[in-house]
Amino acid sequence: MGDPVQLKDEGNKHFQAGDIDKAIECYTKAIKECKDKKVLAVIHRNRSACYLKKENYTSAATDASKAIDFDAADIKALYRRCQALEKLGKLDMAFKDVQRCATLEPKNKTFLETLRRLGADIQAKLKTTFSTDSRVQNMFDILLNEEMETDKREKAANNLIVLSREDAGAERIFQNNGVPLLLNMIDTGKPEMILAAIRTLSGMCTGHKARAMAIVHLVGVDKMCSIMAVDNEEIALAACNLFQCINDSLTGGDSRDYGKEEALVLDAAKDLKTILLSLLEMVANKKVSGHGRDQALNLLTKNVPRRDKKEKNNSRTLFTIDHGLKKILKVCGQVPELPDQLPLTENTQLIASVLLNRLYEDLTCDPERNNFRDVCDEYIKSKIDPNNMDKTLHAINVISGLLQGPFDVGNALVGHQGIMEMMVALCGSEREVDQMVAVEALIHSSTKMSRASFIITNGVSLLKDIYKKTKNEKIKIRALVGLCKLGSAGGDDYSLRQFAEGSTEKLAKQCRKWLCNPQIDTKTKKWAVEGLAYLTNDADVKDDFVEDEPALKAMFELAKSRDKTILYAVACTLINCTNCYDKKEIIPELVQLAKFSKQHVPEQHPKDKKDFIERRVKRLLKAGVTSALAVMVKADSSIMTDQTKEMLARVFLALSEDSKDRGTIVAQGGGKALIPLALEGTDVGKVKASHALAKIAAASSPEIAFPGERMYEVIRPLVNLLHTDRDGIQNYEALRGLTNLAGFNEKLRVKIVKENALPDIENYMFEEHDQIRQAATECMCNLVTCKEVQDRYLEDGNDRLKLLVLLCGEDDDKLQIAAGGALAMITAAQKKLCTKLTQVTPQWLEILQRLCLHTNPMIQHRGIVIVFNMLNSDNGELAKKLIESEMLEILSVIGKAEDNPKRQEVIDAGRACLVRAMELGLIKPFSSPS
């Protein structure tokens, strides 16, 4: 048992020392022990102050209220409750509390100022509320009036969307019985009205958990699913966005403090489970359109697997596997050429494969993975039926889907007895659809070298026969891609060619021919790009391909088409053409050892050397690769996997290698396209994209390369490149990019400071590498006009100013220009630094004199400006010391020099110093005797 007064005093000491958690602990113990009401009021009041510091405003208001219950005139408790209520948005209640405070102490300026401010805030809020109310009512009147012109009703519906994105507007729509009206709009069946209603609901659900839950119950999950199921891409996408807004609000997108109500009414687990089950039901439902199915799969991909692997709970994934894995496999197994299949788009099966991959990657242990494999295995076995070829085809297509998703699962299934043989047998079937499905499965299963070897032994002659004999272009091209993939099984290793000399070039030529044929449909052309993705491992093939401009342009047009399943193949082809894949370092000693022990040694193709790669990059840029990449980056998030993003980032980096090409990249939208790649994806991909951004930012005008608000988004990726675990070249390019941005405007400088870049930039100013040190100093030179940077130089106990002074004394002209410029600007802005400059190093005067005597006019001008700032610093002793030194002689020589356009800035600055010295009475004007 502790003494409450002693515990209170102990809490006060912790509070004064800034240890708020310890203070709360002491006050809480004291409250439990205390029986005296007056002491209890003081303790509650003190704990309220602690909660204010911790930004726990609900608890702060509760404690202050308890203190007021004991003493209604406790002015401190009243004001603390006022502060807490204001932060909670309860302005009218906060106003009443501060009004009481002002009545008790009418001369207290703090109370009067708070009273005035809260009064103004309440008036503004009332004005907004009333104006919003009238706007909402007006729009509802127009929408309810069936005689109103259609365009006016649609305009009112679109205005509702805008209004719903403001919190006050969303609340007014909700309170004015808006949800039933929005449902009436949906029931009209008019696409424009349905879209407006769904988008309004999305705005109302965003960031507000209670409202989102209410809308889920008022509209109903089944109703939302039926809207998403319609065969209209725009409506399906809007409904998908509504589900996403609801999910985000129910799972933590709402930061409001609901207090006690939260535990009572805001348990969202049941609603989230209902939504998940409904989406899984949509996946294999025949009544759902292809667009609706795509969006259901997209929602599952985005929201089921854990976003952060450090989070231990993967129960959503396990639930989805138990209740929906077979449904997703059913989508993968669809063969559109057969009757009675689910409605699909070009992208549906790839999205399903991506989802399968994300689910498998989210599993945490072997038993979970084994269960996933067992469900897939059981599903395949249930479909294989020698008497029903359609069911067997379905099973083979499922394996294809798994090979494009969780490859290990698909690969294990292919290895089961009879599966590979069945694929080979189906290739020889009379039915064209059998051949097509089997050839596709062979293509996907020959990814691993060991499997490719099996097919080379057993399937090449079969694929060649299909290629030669079939008259169906769709099968012909797939057989060709199978041959392409097998022909490239050795990768870029010149010594591991699978086919005879010249065979791969012939295959590639045929692919290019198909690609340029306007009569062939997009889906078939896609397979031509797949073939090139494999064949361009061969340097002869990629060299021929980049010389064929019509084929390049045809591929880029395909990349811009609606069928986004092509993205990966295009990205692979571009990676191969630019040679921007990771290359293993070849150690000569190990090569000799391998040769001695008769092991295989990879060989580089002569056309994979630097000059050939540079030529290929130029050809790609000329054909318009950047605009194609910019369109690819905007693709749907589930198809644009992190691996694809990384590949695109690698291509961008290869394209931006030569500074002369960066203008072309910017002109075709490359700067804007790189920003999302630098912010999302694999760690390697983000670094590569950031590096490409740095190259562009260093050499381009920010407003042209990154128009509008985008230039502010560029800063974070560049700052991330400053980390010490990045390469020196990445550090250097990032510093140059930041230097260019910092020189553009004050807002960008403030953003760089806010992104915590200063410690890294200062660190690189100490760097031994000359170019990195120079780049860091130039960056600091452009940042010193920022108030936050100046404050860092004014702080005591660091060597920042000393470093700048010492860098001015280095022998590198560019470094001296940067350091001298920084010193000149910062001493002009902060007069205190002129005095501090003389205290950081005894060599300051010598360094300054060297600057003023320098032969480079730019360096000399900076030195003389620093001297002028010191004379102008209101420190008479410092000015006197400067004039009594040899500096006066240096300034006199410069000031008396004849005007010279090349050195005029220096001469004018020298004369300004002499005039200032005369004004201070340190020197007198020279007058000749009469």
Coordinates of all heavy atoms in Angstrom, one line a residue, residues 416-488:
H416 N 3.9 -36.1 -61.7 CA 3.1 -37.3 -61.4 C 3.0 -38.2 -62.6 O 3.0 -37.8 -63.7 CB 1.7 -36.9 -60.9 CG 1.6 -36.3 -59.6 ND1 0.4 -36.1 -58.9 CD2 2.6 -35.9 -58.7 CE1 0.7 -35.6 -57.7 NE2 2.0 -35.5 -57.6
Q417 N 3.0 -39.5 -62.3 CA 3.0 -40.5 -63.3 C 1.9 -40.3 -64.3 O 0.7 -40.2 -64.0 CB 2.9 -41.9 -62.7 CG 3.2 -43.0 -63.7 CD 3.1 -44.4 -63.1 OE1 2.9 -44.5 -61.9 NE2 3.3 -45.4 -63.8
G418 N 2.2 -40.2 -65.6 CA 1.2 -40.2 -66.7 C 0.8 -38.8 -67.1 O 0.3 -38.6 -68.2
I419 N 1.1 -37.7 -66.3 CA 0.6 -36.4 -66.7 C 1.4 -35.9 -67.9 O 0.8 -35.5 -68.9 CB 0.8 -35.4 -65.5 CG1 0.0 -35.8 -64.3 CG2 0.5 -34.0 -66.0 CD1 -1.5 -35.5 -64.5
M420 N 2.7 -36.0 -67.9 CA 3.5 -35.5 -69.0 C 3.2 -36.3 -70.3 O 3.1 -35.7 -71.4 CB 5.0 -35.5 -68.7 CG 5.9 -34.9 -69.7 SD 5.6 -33.1 -69.8 CE 6.7 -32.5 -68.6
E421 N 3.0 -37.6 -70.1 CA 2.7 -38.5 -71.2 C 1.4 -38.1 -71.8 O 1.2 -38.1 -73.1 CB 2.7 -39.9 -70.8 CG 4.1 -40.5 -70.5 CD 4.7 -40.1 -69.1 OE1 3.9 -39.4 -68.4 OE2 5.8 -40.4 -68.9
M422 N 0.4 -37.8 -70.9 CA -0.9 -37.4 -71.4 C -0.8 -36.1 -72.2 O -1.5 -36.0 -73.3 CB -1.8 -37.1 -70.2 CG -3.3 -37.0 -70.5 SD -4.3 -36.5 -69.1 CE -3.9 -37.7 -67.9
M423 N 0.0 -35.1 -71.8 CA 0.2 -33.9 -72.6 C 0.7 -34.2 -74.0 O 0.2 -33.7 -75.0 CB 1.2 -33.0 -71.8 CG 0.6 -32.3 -70.6 SD 1.9 -31.2 -70.0 CE 1.3 -30.9 -68.3
V424 N 1.7 -35.1 -74.0 CA 2.4 -35.4 -75.3 C 1.3 -36.1 -76.2 O 1.2 -35.9 -77.4 CB 3.6 -36.3 -75.1 CG1 4.2 -36.8 -76.4 CG2 4.7 -35.5 -74.3
A425 N 0.5 -37.0 -75.5 CA -0.5 -37.8 -76.3 C -1.6 -36.8 -76.9 O -2.0 -36.9 -78.0 CB -1.2 -38.8 -75.4
L426 N -2.0 -35.8 -76.0 CA -3.0 -34.8 -76.5 C -2.5 -34.0 -77.7 O -3.3 -33.5 -78.5 CB -3.4 -33.9 -75.3 CG -4.4 -34.5 -74.3 CD1 -4.5 -33.6 -73.1 CD2 -5.8 -34.7 -75.0
C427 N -1.2 -33.8 -77.7 CA -0.6 -33.0 -78.9 C -0.9 -33.7 -80.2 O -1.0 -33.1 -81.2 CB 0.9 -32.9 -78.7 SG 1.3 -31.7 -77.4
G428 N -1.0 -35.1 -80.1 CA -1.3 -35.8 -81.4 C -2.8 -36.1 -81.6 O -3.1 -36.8 -82.5
S429 N -3.6 -35.4 -80.8 CA -5.1 -35.6 -80.9 C -5.6 -35.1 -82.2 O -5.0 -34.2 -82.8 CB -5.8 -35.0 -79.7 OG -7.2 -34.9 -80.0
E430 N -6.8 -35.6 -82.7 CA -7.4 -35.0 -83.9 C -8.0 -33.7 -83.7 O -8.1 -32.8 -84.5 CB -8.5 -36.0 -84.3 CG -8.0 -37.4 -84.7 CD -7.6 -37.5 -86.1 OE1 -8.3 -37.0 -87.0 OE2 -6.5 -38.1 -86.3
R431 N -8.5 -33.5 -82.4 CA -9.2 -32.2 -82.1 C -8.2 -31.1 -81.9 O -7.2 -31.2 -81.2 CB -10.0 -32.4 -80.8 CG -11.4 -33.0 -81.0 CD -12.3 -32.6 -79.8 NE -11.8 -32.6 -78.5 CZ -12.5 -32.3 -77.4 NH1 -13.8 -32.0 -77.5 NH2 -12.0 -32.3 -76.2
E432 N -8.5 -30.0 -82.5 CA -7.6 -28.8 -82.5 C -7.5 -28.2 -81.0 O -6.5 -27.8 -80.6 CB -8.0 -27.7 -83.5 CG -7.8 -28.1 -84.9 CD -8.1 -27.0 -85.9 OE1 -8.9 -26.1 -85.5 OE2 -7.6 -27.1 -87.0
V433 N -8.7 -28.2 -80.3 CA -8.7 -27.7 -79.0 C -7.8 -28.5 -78.1 O -7.1 -28.0 -77.2 CB -10.1 -27.6 -78.4 CG1 -10.8 -28.9 -78.2 CG2 -10.1 -26.8 -77.2
D434 N -7.8 -29.8 -78.3 CA -6.9 -30.7 -77.4 C -5.4 -30.3 -77.7 O -4.6 -30.2 -76.7 CB -7.1 -32.2 -77.8 CG -8.5 -32.7 -77.5 OD1 -9.2 -31.9 -76.9 OD2 -8.8 -33.8 -78.0
Q435 N -5.1 -30.2 -79.0 CA -3.7 -29.8 -79.3 C -3.3 -28.5 -78.7 O -2.2 -28.3 -78.1 CB -3.5 -29.7 -80.8 CG -3.7 -31.0 -81.6 CD -3.5 -30.8 -83.1 OE1 -3.0 -29.8 -83.5 NE2 -3.9 -31.9 -83.8
M436 N -4.2 -27.5 -78.7 CA -3.9 -26.2 -78.3 C -3.7 -26.2 -76.7 O -2.7 -25.6 -76.3 CB -5.1 -25.2 -78.6 CG -4.8 -23.8 -78.4 SD -5.8 -22.8 -79.5 CE -7.4 -23.1 -79.0
V437 N -4.5 -26.8 -76.0 CA -4.4 -26.9 -74.5 C -3.1 -27.6 -74.2 O -2.4 -27.2 -73.3 CB -5.6 -27.5 -73.9 CG1 -5.4 -27.8 -72.4 CG2 -6.9 -26.6 -74.1
A438 N -2.9 -28.8 -74.8 CA -1.7 -29.6 -74.5 C -0.4 -28.8 -74.8 O 0.6 -28.9 -74.0 CB -1.7 -30.9 -75.3
V439 N -0.3 -28.2 -76.0 CA 0.9 -27.4 -76.3 C 1.1 -26.3 -75.3 O 2.3 -26.1 -74.9 CB 0.8 -26.8 -77.8 CG1 1.9 -25.9 -78.1 CG2 0.8 -28.0 -78.8
E440 N 0.1 -25.6 -74.9 CA 0.2 -24.5 -73.9 C 0.8 -25.1 -72.6 O 1.7 -24.5 -72.0 CB -1.1 -23.8 -73.6 CG -1.5 -22.8 -74.7 CD -2.7 -22.0 -74.3 OE1 -2.9 -21.8 -73.1 OE2 -3.4 -21.5 -75.2
A441 N 0.2 -26.3 -72.2 CA 0.7 -26.9 -70.9 C 2.2 -27.3 -71.1 O 3.0 -27.1 -70.1 CB -0.2 -28.1 -70.6
L442 N 2.6 -27.8 -72.2 CA 4.0 -28.2 -72.5 C 4.9 -27.0 -72.4 O 6.0 -27.0 -71.8 CB 4.1 -28.8 -73.8 CG 3.8 -30.3 -74.0 CD1 4.0 -30.8 -75.4 CD2 4.8 -31.2 -73.1
I443 N 4.4 -25.8 -72.9 CA 5.2 -24.6 -72.9 C 5.4 -24.2 -71.4 O 6.6 -23.9 -71.0 CB 4.5 -23.5 -73.7 CG1 4.5 -23.8 -75.1 CG2 5.1 -22.1 -73.4 CD1 3.5 -22.9 -75.9
H444 N 4.4 -24.2 -70.6 CA 4.5 -23.7 -69.3 C 5.3 -24.7 -68.4 O 6.0 -24.3 -67.5 CB 3.1 -23.5 -68.6 CG 2.3 -22.4 -69.3 ND1 2.8 -21.2 -69.5 CD2 1.0 -22.4 -69.8 CE1 1.9 -20.4 -70.1 NE2 0.8 -21.1 -70.3
S445 N 5.2 -26.0 -68.7 CA 5.9 -27.0 -67.9 C 7.4 -27.1 -68.2 O 8.2 -27.7 -67.5 CB 5.2 -28.3 -68.0 OG 5.3 -28.8 -69.3
S446 N 7.8 -26.5 -69.3 CA 9.3 -26.7 -69.7 C 10.1 -25.5 -69.2 O 11.2 -25.2 -69.8 CB 9.4 -26.8 -71.2 OG 8.9 -25.6 -71.9
T447 N 9.7 -24.8 -68.1 CA 10.4 -23.7 -67.6 C 11.7 -24.2 -66.9 O 12.8 -23.6 -67.1 CB 9.6 -23.0 -66.6 OG1 8.4 -22.5 -67.2 CG2 10.3 -21.8 -66.0
K448 N 11.6 -25.3 -66.2 CA 12.9 -25.8 -65.6 C 13.7 -26.6 -66.5 O 13.2 -27.4 -67.3 CB 12.5 -26.7 -64.4 CG 12.0 -25.9 -63.2 CD 12.5 -26.4 -61.9 CE 12.2 -25.4 -60.8 NZ 12.3 -26.0 -59.4
M449 N 15.0 -26.5 -66.4 CA 15.9 -27.1 -67.4 C 15.7 -28.6 -67.4 O 15.7 -29.2 -68.5 CB 17.4 -26.8 -66.9 CG 18.4 -27.2 -67.8 SD 18.5 -26.1 -69.3 CE 19.9 -26.8 -70.1
S450 N 15.5 -29.2 -66.3 CA 15.4 -30.7 -66.2 C 14.1 -31.1 -67.0 O 14.1 -32.1 -67.8 CB 15.2 -31.2 -64.8 OG 14.2 -30.6 -64.2
R451 N 13.0 -30.4 -66.8 CA 11.8 -30.7 -67.5 C 11.9 -30.4 -69.1 O 11.4 -31.1 -69.9 CB 10.6 -29.8 -67.0 CG 9.3 -30.3 -67.3 CD 8.9 -31.5 -66.4 NE 8.7 -31.2 -65.1 CZ 8.7 -32.1 -64.1 NH1 9.0 -33.4 -64.4 NH2 8.5 -31.8 -62.9
A452 N 12.6 -29.3 -69.4 CA 12.9 -29.0 -70.8 C 13.6 -30.1 -71.5 O 13.4 -30.4 -72.6 CB 13.6 -27.7 -70.9
S453 N 14.6 -30.7 -70.8 CA 15.4 -31.8 -71.3 C 14.5 -32.9 -71.7 O 14.7 -33.6 -72.7 CB 16.5 -32.2 -70.3 OG 17.3 -31.1 -70.0
F454 N 13.6 -33.2 -70.8 CA 12.6 -34.4 -71.0 C 11.8 -34.1 -72.3 O 11.7 -35.0 -73.1 CB 11.7 -34.5 -69.8 CG 10.5 -35.5 -70.0 CD1 10.7 -36.8 -69.7 CD2 9.3 -35.1 -70.6 CE1 9.7 -37.7 -69.9 CE2 8.3 -36.0 -70.8 CZ 8.5 -37.3 -70.4
I455 N 11.3 -32.8 -72.4 CA 10.5 -32.5 -73.6 C 11.3 -32.5 -74.9 O 10.9 -32.9 -75.9 CB 9.7 -31.2 -73.4 CG1 8.8 -31.4 -72.1 CG2 8.9 -30.9 -74.6 CD1 8.2 -30.1 -71.6
I456 N 12.6 -32.0 -74.7 CA 13.5 -32.0 -75.9 C 13.6 -33.4 -76.4 O 13.6 -33.7 -77.6 CB 14.8 -31.4 -75.6 CG1 14.7 -29.9 -75.5 CG2 15.9 -31.7 -76.7 CD1 15.8 -29.2 -74.9
T457 N 13.7 -34.4 -75.5 CA 13.9 -35.8 -75.8 C 12.6 -36.3 -76.4 O 12.6 -37.1 -77.4 CB 14.3 -36.6 -74.6 OG1 15.4 -35.9 -74.0 CG2 14.7 -38.0 -75.0
N458 N 11.5 -36.0 -75.8 CA 10.2 -36.7 -76.1 C 9.2 -35.8 -77.0 O 8.4 -36.4 -77.6 CB 9.4 -37.0 -74.8 CG 10.2 -38.0 -74.0 OD1 10.2 -39.2 -74.3 ND2 10.9 -37.5 -73.0
G459 N 9.4 -34.5 -76.9 CA 8.3 -33.7 -77.5 C 8.7 -32.8 -78.7 O 7.8 -32.3 -79.4
V460 N 10.0 -32.6 -79.0 CA 10.4 -31.7 -80.0 C 9.9 -32.1 -81.4 O 9.3 -31.3 -82.1 CB 11.9 -31.4 -80.1 CG1 12.3 -30.7 -81.3 CG2 12.3 -30.7 -78.8
S461 N 10.1 -33.4 -81.7 CA 9.6 -33.9 -83.0 C 8.1 -33.7 -83.1 O 7.6 -33.4 -84.2 CB 10.0 -35.4 -83.2 OG 9.5 -36.1 -82.1
L462 N 7.4 -34.0 -82.0 CA 5.9 -33.8 -82.0 C 5.5 -32.4 -82.3 O 4.7 -32.1 -83.1 CB 5.4 -34.3 -80.6 CG 3.9 -34.5 -80.5 CD1 3.5 -35.7 -81.3 CD2 3.6 -34.7 -79.0
L463 N 6.2 -31.4 -81.6 CA 5.9 -30.0 -81.8 C 6.2 -29.6 -83.2 O 5.4 -28.8 -83.8 CB 6.7 -29.1 -80.8 CG 6.2 -29.2 -79.3 CD1 7.2 -28.5 -78.5 CD2 4.8 -28.6 -79.2
K464 N 7.3 -30.1 -83.8 CA 7.7 -29.8 -85.2 C 6.6 -30.3 -86.1 O 6.2 -29.7 -87.1 CB 9.0 -30.4 -85.5 CG 10.2 -29.6 -85.0 CD 11.5 -30.2 -85.3 CE 12.7 -29.4 -84.8 NZ 14.0 -30.1 -85.1
D465 N 6.1 -31.5 -85.9 CA 5.0 -32.1 -86.7 C 3.8 -31.3 -86.7 O 3.2 -31.0 -87.7 CB 4.7 -33.5 -86.2 CG 5.7 -34.6 -86.7 OD1 6.6 -34.2 -87.5 OD2 5.7 -35.7 -86.2
I466 N 3.4 -30.9 -85.4 CA 2.2 -30.0 -85.3 C 2.4 -28.7 -86.1 O 1.5 -28.3 -86.8 CB 1.9 -29.7 -83.8 CG1 1.5 -31.0 -83.1 CG2 0.8 -28.6 -83.6 CD1 1.4 -30.8 -81.6
Y467 N 3.6 -28.1 -85.9 CA 3.9 -26.8 -86.5 C 3.8 -27.0 -88.1 O 3.2 -26.1 -88.8 CB 5.3 -26.4 -86.1 CG 5.7 -25.1 -86.8 CD1 5.1 -23.9 -86.5 CD2 6.8 -25.1 -87.7 CE1 5.5 -22.7 -87.1 CE2 7.2 -23.9 -88.3 CZ 6.5 -22.7 -88.0 OH 6.9 -21.6 -88.6
K468 N 4.3 -28.1 -88.6 CA 4.3 -28.2 -90.1 C 2.9 -28.6 -90.6 O 2.5 -28.2 -91.7 CB 5.3 -29.3 -90.5 CG 6.8 -28.8 -90.3 CD 7.8 -30.0 -90.5 CE 9.2 -29.5 -90.3 NZ 10.1 -30.6 -90.2
K469 N 2.2 -29.5 -89.9 CA 1.0 -30.1 -90.5 C -0.3 -29.3 -90.2 O -1.2 -29.3 -91.1 CB 0.8 -31.5 -89.9 CG 1.8 -32.5 -90.4 CD 1.7 -33.8 -89.8 CE 2.8 -34.8 -90.2 NZ 2.8 -36.0 -89.4
T470 N -0.4 -28.6 -89.1 CA -1.6 -27.9 -88.7 C -1.9 -26.7 -89.6 O -1.0 -26.0 -90.0 CB -1.7 -27.5 -87.2 OG1 -3.0 -27.0 -87.0 CG2 -0.7 -26.4 -86.9
K471 N -3.2 -26.5 -89.9 CA -3.5 -25.3 -90.7 C -4.1 -24.2 -89.8 O -4.3 -23.1 -90.3 CB -4.5 -25.7 -91.8 CG -3.9 -26.6 -92.9 CD -4.9 -27.0 -93.9 CE -4.2 -27.9 -95.0 NZ -5.1 -28.4 -95.9
N472 N -4.3 -24.6 -88.6 CA -4.9 -23.6 -87.6 C -3.7 -22.7 -87.1 O -2.8 -23.2 -86.4 CB -5.5 -24.4 -86.4 CG -6.2 -23.4 -85.5 OD1 -5.8 -22.3 -85.2 ND2 -7.4 -23.9 -85.0
E473 N -3.8 -21.4 -87.4 CA -2.7 -20.5 -87.0 C -2.5 -20.5 -85.5 O -1.4 -20.3 -85.0 CB -3.0 -19.1 -87.5 CG -3.0 -18.9 -89.0 CD -1.5 -18.8 -89.5 OE1 -0.7 -18.3 -88.8 OE2 -1.3 -19.3 -90.6
K474 N -3.6 -20.6 -84.7 CA -3.6 -20.5 -83.3 C -2.7 -21.6 -82.7 O -1.9 -21.4 -81.8 CB -5.0 -20.6 -82.6 CG -5.8 -19.3 -83.0 CD -7.2 -19.4 -82.3 CE -8.0 -18.2 -82.6 NZ -9.3 -18.2 -82.0
I475 N -2.9 -22.9 -83.3 CA -2.1 -24.0 -82.8 C -0.7 -23.9 -83.3 O 0.3 -24.2 -82.6 CB -2.7 -25.3 -83.2 CG1 -4.1 -25.5 -82.6 CG2 -1.9 -26.5 -82.9 CD1 -4.9 -26.6 -83.1
K476 N -0.5 -23.5 -84.5 CA 0.8 -23.3 -85.2 C 1.7 -22.4 -84.3 O 2.8 -22.8 -84.1 CB 0.6 -22.7 -86.6 CG 1.8 -23.0 -87.6 CD 1.4 -22.4 -88.9 CE 2.4 -22.8 -90.0 NZ 2.3 -24.1 -90.5
I477 N 1.1 -21.3 -83.9 CA 1.9 -20.3 -83.2 C 2.3 -20.9 -81.8 O 3.4 -20.6 -81.3 CB 1.3 -18.9 -83.1 CG1 2.3 -17.9 -82.8 CG2 0.1 -18.9 -82.1 CD1 1.8 -16.5 -83.0
R478 N 1.4 -21.6 -81.2 CA 1.7 -22.2 -79.9 C 2.8 -23.3 -80.0 O 3.7 -23.4 -79.1 CB 0.4 -22.8 -79.2 CG -0.5 -21.7 -78.7 CD -1.9 -22.3 -78.5 NE -2.8 -21.3 -77.8 CZ -3.4 -20.3 -78.3 NH1 -3.1 -20.0 -79.6 NH2 -4.1 -19.5 -77.6
A479 N 2.7 -24.1 -81.0 CA 3.8 -25.1 -81.3 C 5.1 -24.4 -81.5 O 6.1 -24.8 -80.9 CB 3.4 -25.9 -82.5
L480 N 5.1 -23.3 -82.2 CA 6.3 -22.5 -82.4 C 6.9 -22.0 -81.1 O 8.1 -22.1 -80.9 CB 6.0 -21.3 -83.4 CG 7.2 -20.4 -83.7 CD1 8.2 -21.1 -84.6 CD2 6.8 -19.1 -84.2
V481 N 6.0 -21.5 -80.2 CA 6.4 -20.9 -78.9 C 7.1 -22.1 -78.1 O 8.1 -21.9 -77.4 CB 5.3 -20.2 -78.2 CG1 5.7 -19.9 -76.8 CG2 4.9 -19.0 -78.9
G482 N 6.4 -23.3 -78.2 CA 7.0 -24.4 -77.5 C 8.4 -24.7 -78.0 O 9.4 -24.9 -77.2
L483 N 8.6 -24.6 -79.3 CA 10.0 -24.8 -79.9 C 10.9 -23.7 -79.4 O 12.1 -23.9 -79.1 CB 9.9 -24.9 -81.4 CG 9.2 -26.2 -82.0 CD1 8.9 -26.0 -83.4 CD2 10.0 -27.4 -81.7
C484 N 10.4 -22.5 -79.4 CA 11.2 -21.3 -79.0 C 11.7 -21.5 -77.5 O 12.8 -21.3 -77.2 CB 10.3 -20.0 -79.0 SG 9.9 -19.5 -80.7
K485 N 10.8 -21.9 -76.7 CA 11.1 -22.1 -75.3 C 12.2 -23.2 -75.1 O 13.1 -23.0 -74.3 CB 9.9 -22.4 -74.4 CG 10.1 -22.3 -72.9 CD 8.8 -22.3 -72.2 CE 9.0 -22.1 -70.7 NZ 7.8 -22.1 -70.0
L486 N 12.0 -24.3 -75.8 CA 13.0 -25.4 -75.7 C 14.3 -24.9 -76.3 O 15.4 -25.3 -75.8 CB 12.4 -26.6 -76.4 CG 11.1 -27.2 -75.8 CD1 10.6 -28.3 -76.7 CD2 11.4 -27.7 -74.4
G487 N 14.2 -24.1 -77.3 CA 15.5 -23.7 -78.0 C 16.2 -22.7 -77.1 O 17.4 -22.5 -77.3
S488 N 15.6 -22.1 -76.2 CA 16.3 -21.1 -75.3 C 16.5 -21.6 -73.9 O 16.8 -20.9 -73.0 CB 15.4 -19.8 -75.2 OG 14.2 -20.1 -74.5

